[in-house]
Amino acid sequence: MIPERLAWLDSGPTRALAELFTRSGHEIYLVGGSVRDALLDRPADDMDFATDARPDRLKALLSDWADHLYLMGERFGTVGALRQGTRYEITTFRAEAYASDSRQPVVTFGNSIAADLERRDFTVNAMALKLGEGAPTLVDPFRGLGDLAAKTLRTPIGPSVSFSDDPLRMVRLFRFMSELGFDPNPEEVEAVADMKERLDIVSAERIRDEFSKLVLGEWASPALSLMIESGLAARFIPEVPALAMTEDPDHRHKDVLAHSLAVMAKTDHDLVLRLAALFHDVGKPDTRRFDGPKVTFHHHEVVGAAMTRKRLRQLRYPKATVDQVAELVFLHMRAHTFKMGWTDSAVRRYVRDAGELLPKLNQLARCDVTTRSDRRARRIQRRLDELEERIEHLRAQEEIDSLRPPIDGHDVMAYLGIGPGPMVGSVLRALLAKRIDDGPYERSEAFSVVRELALAEGLDDPGPVPS
């Protein structure tokens, strides 16, 4: 019996799509995550269908029905159709597997829904709803409904075969653990530990996409912890498992890995912020040789940012994402220097260095407090409250979000009678430093600074200071 919450399948464009295929002598099924999410009352962004019709036949059937067709996935048997604002993905029954040394799956088309479901990653994703002129009927050859009720992740066929066919499924195991809160079957986890090297044939882009979904999940911390324990994480983010061997100097009751996972779990579901939380202390294992907290903190921030940038580039993250995450890792300790009180210039510099990342940096600083001492935690949070109050106070008095001196490079060149060059850059840096240190100042004062710098460099006297 199909739950009432799936009644939408019997109306609207979905019903029309089903009747189109049925009248043409073809089978069509709602499959995969669409079925799982519907049974879990979770919102589904996409609707995926499977059919016995081959791609050429798909295009012929959908050309008049759809408002627009998407054919980028045609060679893999998938045709996208847009109708009345809803996108449908219809794929020919298929099977795919990796050759022993290939990064790309080899796709072959099949003739039955059972064979198509067998090639899917987990039983909870290997259910289908057969659509037609009558009520939808559930197709569940691998007892996915029972695993859904038990909140278990299990492969339709043996995990060693499934993970060998597509090694990315090992990452997907922990991704679905993170997103759904389900527990992997022990046999699947053992297979990951035995076959983790097989992941090396998968492209960085495919790993990146699954990893991003994993870190954004509601249960990302336990999922990452188990993935690290299995040894799989060391294949593509080795810096993170290495944190388990490093004691946190500020939180001696836990290793740095436990601390990093706790910080990540406290942040918003924002990819840049979560990646920064996970990687924020990766520089610590490489800075244990430095003595003294000031030297260690400075080096672990620099080293950590460099390690983060290198790893995210290898995972083919977009440049903007890499830059933002690395900058947060580099700056993450800055707010915690606010112990004896900050000068106005220090607050301005903090805001300027953070730039558009300021809200994320402040949140990372707050989430970085995982001490078991309530008294210490409250003290740190009060300091962070005071810092944010100082920022708002200065923001009400002056423009601190886009700090700039009252004159620009064109003004400097016109006054000194010079063209572009190192002198102009040096003067502008001095003017900006004065803006940060002293706050807002007038144009005449800025030109006075320019005149003093020019004379100090041996240039001719530029003359009276413009008003």
Coordinates of all heavy atoms in Angstrom, one line a residue, residues 133-193:
E133 N -1.4 3.8 -15.5 CA -2.8 4.3 -15.5 C -3.5 4.0 -14.1 O -4.5 4.7 -13.8 CB -3.6 3.7 -16.6 CG -3.0 4.1 -18.0 CD -3.8 3.5 -19.2 OE1 -4.7 2.7 -18.9 OE2 -3.5 3.9 -20.3
G134 N -3.0 3.0 -13.4 CA -3.6 2.8 -12.1 C -2.8 3.4 -11.0 O -1.9 4.3 -11.2
A135 N -3.0 3.0 -9.7 CA -2.3 3.5 -8.6 C -0.8 3.0 -8.6 O -0.5 1.9 -9.1 CB -2.9 3.0 -7.3
P136 N 0.1 3.9 -8.1 CA 1.5 3.4 -8.1 C 1.7 2.2 -7.2 O 1.0 2.1 -6.2 CB 2.2 4.7 -7.5 CG 1.3 5.8 -7.7 CD -0.1 5.2 -7.6
T137 N 2.6 1.3 -7.6 CA 2.9 0.2 -6.8 C 4.4 0.1 -6.5 O 5.3 0.5 -7.3 CB 2.5 -1.1 -7.6 OG1 3.2 -1.1 -8.8 CG2 1.0 -1.2 -7.8
L138 N 4.7 -0.3 -5.3 CA 6.1 -0.3 -4.8 C 6.8 -1.5 -5.3 O 6.4 -2.6 -5.2 CB 6.1 -0.3 -3.3 CG 7.5 -0.2 -2.6 CD1 8.2 1.1 -2.9 CD2 7.4 -0.4 -1.1
V139 N 8.0 -1.3 -5.8 CA 8.9 -2.4 -6.2 C 10.1 -2.3 -5.3 O 10.9 -1.3 -5.3 CB 9.4 -2.2 -7.7 CG1 10.4 -3.3 -8.1 CG2 8.2 -2.1 -8.6
D140 N 10.3 -3.4 -4.5 CA 11.3 -3.3 -3.4 C 12.0 -4.7 -3.3 O 11.9 -5.4 -2.3 CB 10.7 -2.9 -2.1 CG 11.7 -2.8 -1.0 OD1 12.9 -2.7 -1.2 OD2 11.2 -2.9 0.2
P141 N 12.8 -5.1 -4.3 CA 13.4 -6.4 -4.4 C 14.5 -6.6 -3.3 O 14.9 -7.8 -3.0 CB 14.0 -6.5 -5.8 CG 14.3 -5.1 -6.2 CD 13.2 -4.3 -5.5
F142 N 15.0 -5.6 -2.7 CA 16.1 -5.7 -1.7 C 15.8 -5.3 -0.3 O 16.7 -5.0 0.5 CB 17.4 -4.9 -2.3 CG 17.8 -5.4 -3.7 CD1 17.5 -4.5 -4.7 CD2 18.4 -6.6 -3.9 CE1 17.8 -4.9 -6.0 CE2 18.8 -7.0 -5.2 CZ 18.5 -6.1 -6.2
R143 N 14.5 -5.2 0.0 CA 14.0 -5.0 1.3 C 14.5 -3.6 1.8 O 14.8 -3.4 3.0 CB 14.4 -6.0 2.3 CG 14.1 -7.5 1.9 CD 14.3 -8.5 3.0 NE 15.7 -8.4 3.5 CZ 16.8 -9.0 2.8 NH1 16.6 -9.6 1.7 NH2 18.0 -8.9 3.3
G144 N 14.4 -2.6 0.9 CA 14.8 -1.3 1.3 C 13.9 -0.6 2.3 O 14.3 0.2 3.1
L145 N 12.6 -1.0 2.2 CA 11.6 -0.4 3.1 C 11.9 -0.8 4.5 O 11.8 0.0 5.5 CB 10.2 -0.8 2.7 CG 9.0 -0.1 3.3 CD1 9.1 1.4 2.9 CD2 7.7 -0.7 2.9
G146 N 12.3 -2.0 4.7 CA 12.7 -2.5 6.1 C 13.9 -1.7 6.6 O 14.0 -1.4 7.7
D147 N 14.9 -1.5 5.7 CA 16.1 -0.8 6.1 C 15.8 0.7 6.4 O 16.4 1.3 7.2 CB 17.2 -0.9 5.0 CG 17.9 -2.3 5.0 OD1 17.8 -3.0 6.0 OD2 18.4 -2.7 3.9
L148 N 14.8 1.2 5.6 CA 14.4 2.6 5.9 C 13.8 2.7 7.3 O 14.1 3.6 8.0 CB 13.4 3.0 4.8 CG 13.2 4.5 4.6 CD1 14.4 5.1 4.0 CD2 11.9 4.7 3.7
A149 N 13.0 1.7 7.7 CA 12.4 1.7 9.0 C 13.5 1.5 10.1 O 13.4 2.1 11.2 CB 11.3 0.7 9.1
A150 N 14.5 0.7 9.8 CA 15.5 0.4 10.8 C 16.6 1.4 10.7 O 17.6 1.4 11.5 CB 16.1 -1.0 10.5
K151 N 16.6 2.4 9.8 CA 17.6 3.4 9.6 C 19.0 2.8 9.4 O 20.0 3.1 10.1 CB 17.6 4.4 10.8 CG 16.3 5.2 10.9 CD 16.4 6.2 12.1 CE 15.1 7.0 12.1 NZ 15.2 8.1 13.2
T152 N 19.0 1.9 8.5 CA 20.3 1.1 8.2 C 20.7 1.4 6.7 O 19.8 1.4 5.8 CB 20.0 -0.4 8.4 OG1 19.7 -0.6 9.8 CG2 21.3 -1.2 8.0
L153 N 22.0 1.5 6.5 CA 22.5 1.6 5.2 C 23.2 0.3 4.8 O 24.2 -0.1 5.4 CB 23.6 2.8 5.1 CG 23.0 4.2 5.3 CD1 24.1 5.2 5.5 CD2 22.1 4.6 4.2
R154 N 22.7 -0.3 3.8 CA 23.2 -1.6 3.3 C 23.1 -1.6 1.8 O 22.2 -1.1 1.2 CB 22.3 -2.7 3.9 CG 22.6 -4.1 3.6 CD 21.8 -5.1 4.4 NE 20.3 -4.9 4.1 CZ 19.7 -5.4 3.1 NH1 20.3 -6.2 2.2 NH2 18.4 -5.2 2.9
T155 N 24.1 -2.3 1.2 CA 24.1 -2.4 -0.3 C 23.2 -3.5 -0.7 O 23.0 -4.5 0.0 CB 25.6 -2.7 -0.8 OG1 26.0 -3.9 -0.2 CG2 26.5 -1.6 -0.4
P156 N 22.6 -3.3 -1.9 CA 21.7 -4.3 -2.5 C 22.4 -5.6 -2.7 O 21.8 -6.7 -2.5 CB 21.2 -3.7 -3.8 CG 21.4 -2.2 -3.6 CD 22.6 -2.1 -2.8
I157 N 23.6 -5.6 -3.2 CA 24.4 -6.8 -3.3 C 25.6 -6.7 -2.3 O 25.6 -5.7 -1.6 CB 24.9 -6.9 -4.8 CG1 25.7 -5.6 -5.2 CG2 23.8 -7.2 -5.7 CD1 26.2 -5.7 -6.6
G158 N 26.4 -7.7 -2.3 CA 27.5 -7.6 -1.3 C 28.3 -6.4 -1.4 O 28.6 -5.9 -2.5
P159 N 28.7 -5.7 -0.3 CA 29.5 -4.5 -0.3 C 30.8 -4.6 -1.1 O 31.2 -3.6 -1.7 CB 29.7 -4.1 1.1 CG 29.6 -5.4 1.9 CD 28.5 -6.2 1.1
S160 N 31.5 -5.7 -1.0 CA 32.7 -5.8 -1.8 C 32.5 -5.7 -3.3 O 33.3 -5.0 -4.0 CB 33.4 -7.1 -1.4 OG 32.6 -8.2 -1.8
V161 N 31.4 -6.2 -3.7 CA 31.1 -6.1 -5.2 C 30.6 -4.7 -5.5 O 31.1 -4.1 -6.5 CB 30.0 -7.2 -5.6 CG1 29.6 -7.0 -7.0 CG2 30.5 -8.6 -5.3
S162 N 29.7 -4.2 -4.7 CA 29.2 -2.9 -4.9 C 30.3 -1.8 -4.9 O 30.3 -0.9 -5.8 CB 28.1 -2.6 -3.8 OG 27.5 -1.3 -4.1
F163 N 31.1 -1.8 -3.9 CA 32.2 -0.8 -3.8 C 33.3 -1.0 -4.8 O 33.9 0.0 -5.2 CB 32.8 -0.9 -2.4 CG 31.9 -0.5 -1.3 CD1 32.1 -0.9 0.0 CD2 30.7 0.2 -1.5 CE1 31.3 -0.6 1.1 CE2 29.8 0.6 -0.5 CZ 30.1 0.2 0.8
S164 N 33.5 -2.2 -5.3 CA 34.4 -2.4 -6.4 C 33.9 -1.9 -7.7 O 34.6 -1.2 -8.5 CB 34.7 -3.9 -6.5 OG 35.7 -4.1 -7.6
D165 N 32.6 -2.1 -7.9 CA 31.9 -1.5 -9.1 C 32.0 0.0 -9.2 O 32.3 0.6 -10.2 CB 30.5 -2.0 -9.2 CG 30.3 -3.4 -9.6 OD1 31.3 -4.0 -10.1 OD2 29.2 -4.0 -9.5
D166 N 31.8 0.6 -8.1 CA 31.9 2.1 -8.0 C 32.4 2.5 -6.6 O 31.7 2.6 -5.6 CB 30.5 2.8 -8.2 CG 30.6 4.3 -8.3 OD1 31.7 4.8 -8.0 OD2 29.6 4.9 -8.6
P167 N 33.7 2.7 -6.5 CA 34.3 3.0 -5.2 C 33.8 4.3 -4.6 O 33.9 4.4 -3.3 CB 35.8 3.2 -5.6 CG 36.0 2.4 -6.8 CD 34.7 2.6 -7.6
L168 N 33.2 5.2 -5.3 CA 32.6 6.4 -4.7 C 31.5 6.0 -3.7 O 31.2 6.8 -2.8 CB 32.1 7.3 -5.8 CG 31.7 8.7 -5.3 CD1 32.9 9.5 -4.8 CD2 31.0 9.5 -6.4
R169 N 30.9 4.9 -3.9 CA 29.9 4.5 -2.9 C 30.4 4.4 -1.5 O 29.6 4.5 -0.5 CB 29.3 3.1 -3.4 CG 28.5 3.2 -4.6 CD 28.1 1.9 -5.2 NE 27.3 2.0 -6.4 CZ 27.1 1.0 -7.3 NH1 27.6 -0.2 -7.0 NH2 26.3 1.2 -8.4
M170 N 31.7 4.2 -1.3 CA 32.3 4.2 0.0 C 32.1 5.6 0.7 O 31.8 5.7 1.9 CB 33.7 3.7 0.0 CG 33.9 2.3 -0.4 SD 35.6 1.7 -0.3 CE 36.4 2.6 -1.7
V171 N 32.3 6.6 -0.1 CA 32.1 8.0 0.5 C 30.7 8.2 0.6 O 30.2 8.9 1.6 CB 32.8 9.0 -0.5 CG1 32.6 10.4 0.1 CG2 34.2 8.7 -0.7
R172 N 29.8 7.8 -0.3 CA 28.4 8.0 -0.2 C 27.8 7.3 1.0 O 26.8 7.7 1.6 CB 27.7 7.4 -1.5 CG 28.0 8.3 -2.7 CD 27.5 7.7 -4.0 NE 26.0 7.5 -4.0 CZ 25.2 8.5 -4.4 NH1 25.7 9.6 -4.8 NH2 23.9 8.3 -4.4
L173 N 28.4 6.2 1.5 CA 28.0 5.5 2.7 C 27.9 6.5 3.8 O 27.0 6.6 4.6 CB 28.9 4.3 3.0 CG 28.6 3.5 4.2 CD1 27.3 2.7 4.0 CD2 29.7 2.6 4.6
F174 N 29.0 7.3 4.0 CA 29.1 8.2 5.1 C 28.4 9.5 4.8 O 27.9 10.2 5.7 CB 30.6 8.5 5.4 CG 31.3 7.2 5.8 CD1 32.2 6.6 4.8 CD2 31.2 6.6 7.0 CE1 32.9 5.5 5.2 CE2 31.8 5.4 7.3 CZ 32.7 4.9 6.4
R175 N 28.2 9.8 3.5 CA 27.4 11.0 3.2 C 26.0 10.8 3.6 O 25.3 11.7 4.2 CB 27.5 11.2 1.7 CG 26.9 12.6 1.3 CD 25.5 12.5 0.7 NE 25.5 12.1 -0.7 CZ 24.5 12.2 -1.5 NH1 23.3 12.5 -1.0 NH2 24.6 11.8 -2.8
F176 N 25.4 9.6 3.3 CA 24.0 9.3 3.7 C 23.9 9.2 5.2 O 22.9 9.5 5.8 CB 23.5 8.1 2.9 CG 23.1 8.4 1.5 CD1 23.8 7.7 0.5 CD2 22.1 9.3 1.2 CE1 23.5 8.0 -0.8 CE2 21.8 9.6 -0.1 CZ 22.5 8.9 -1.2
M177 N 24.9 8.7 5.8 CA 24.9 8.7 7.3 C 24.8 10.1 7.8 O 24.0 10.3 8.8 CB 26.2 8.0 7.8 CG 26.3 7.9 9.3 SD 27.9 7.2 9.8 CE 27.8 7.4 11.6
S178 N 25.5 11.0 7.2 CA 25.5 12.4 7.7 C 24.1 13.1 7.4 O 23.6 13.8 8.2 CB 26.6 13.2 7.0 OG 26.5 14.5 7.2
E179 N 23.6 12.8 6.2 CA 22.4 13.5 5.8 C 21.1 12.9 6.4 O 20.2 13.6 6.8 CB 22.2 13.4 4.3 CG 23.1 14.3 3.5 CD 22.8 14.3 2.0 OE1 22.2 13.3 1.5 OE2 23.2 15.2 1.3
L180 N 21.1 11.6 6.6 CA 19.9 10.9 7.1 C 19.9 10.5 8.5 O 18.9 10.2 9.1 CB 19.6 9.6 6.2 CG 19.5 9.8 4.7 CD1 19.3 8.5 4.0 CD2 18.3 10.7 4.4
G181 N 21.1 10.4 9.1 CA 21.3 10.0 10.5 C 21.1 8.5 10.6 O 20.9 7.9 11.7
F182 N 21.3 7.7 9.5 CA 21.2 6.3 9.5 C 22.6 5.7 9.8 O 23.6 6.3 9.7 CB 20.8 5.7 8.1 CG 19.4 6.0 7.7 CD1 18.6 6.8 8.5 CD2 18.8 5.4 6.6 CE1 17.3 7.1 8.2 CE2 17.5 5.6 6.3 CZ 16.7 6.5 7.0
D183 N 22.6 4.5 10.3 CA 23.8 3.8 10.7 C 24.2 2.8 9.6 O 23.4 2.0 9.2 CB 23.7 3.0 12.0 CG 23.5 3.9 13.2 OD1 24.2 5.0 13.2 OD2 22.8 3.6 14.1
P184 N 25.5 2.8 9.2 CA 25.9 1.8 8.2 C 25.9 0.4 8.8 O 26.2 0.2 9.9 CB 27.3 2.3 7.8 CG 27.4 3.7 8.3 CD 26.5 3.8 9.4
N185 N 25.6 -0.6 7.9 CA 25.7 -2.0 8.3 C 27.1 -2.3 8.6 O 28.0 -1.8 7.9 CB 25.1 -2.8 7.2 CG 24.9 -4.3 7.6 OD1 24.3 -4.5 8.7 ND2 25.3 -5.2 6.8
P186 N 27.4 -3.0 9.7 CA 28.9 -3.3 10.0 C 29.6 -3.9 8.9 O 30.8 -3.7 8.7 CB 28.8 -4.3 11.2 CG 27.5 -3.9 11.9 CD 26.5 -3.5 10.7
E187 N 29.0 -4.8 8.1 CA 29.7 -5.4 7.0 C 30.1 -4.4 6.0 O 31.2 -4.6 5.4 CB 28.7 -6.5 6.3 CG 29.4 -7.3 5.2 CD 28.5 -8.3 4.6 OE1 27.4 -8.5 5.2 OE2 28.8 -8.9 3.6
E188 N 29.3 -3.4 5.7 CA 29.7 -2.3 4.8 C 30.9 -1.5 5.3 O 31.8 -1.2 4.5 CB 28.5 -1.4 4.6 CG 27.5 -1.8 3.5 CD 26.8 -3.1 3.7 OE1 26.8 -3.5 4.9 OE2 26.2 -3.6 2.8
V189 N 30.9 -1.2 6.6 CA 32.1 -0.5 7.2 C 33.3 -1.3 7.1 O 34.4 -0.8 6.8 CB 31.8 -0.1 8.6 CG1 33.0 0.6 9.2 CG2 30.6 0.8 8.7
E190 N 33.3 -2.6 7.3 CA 34.4 -3.5 7.2 C 34.9 -3.6 5.8 O 36.1 -3.6 5.5 CB 34.0 -4.9 7.7 CG 33.8 -5.0 9.2 CD 33.2 -6.4 9.6 OE1 33.2 -7.3 8.7 OE2 32.8 -6.6 10.7
A191 N 34.0 -3.6 4.8 CA 34.4 -3.6 3.4 C 35.1 -2.3 3.0 O 36.1 -2.3 2.3 CB 33.2 -3.8 2.5
V192 N 34.7 -1.1 3.6 CA 35.4 0.1 3.3 C 36.8 0.0 3.8 O 37.8 0.4 3.2 CB 34.6 1.3 4.0 CG1 35.5 2.6 3.9 CG2 33.3 1.5 3.3
A193 N 37.0 -0.5 5.1 CA 38.3 -0.6 5.6 C 39.2 -1.5 4.8 O 40.4 -1.2 4.6 CB 38.2 -1.1 7.1

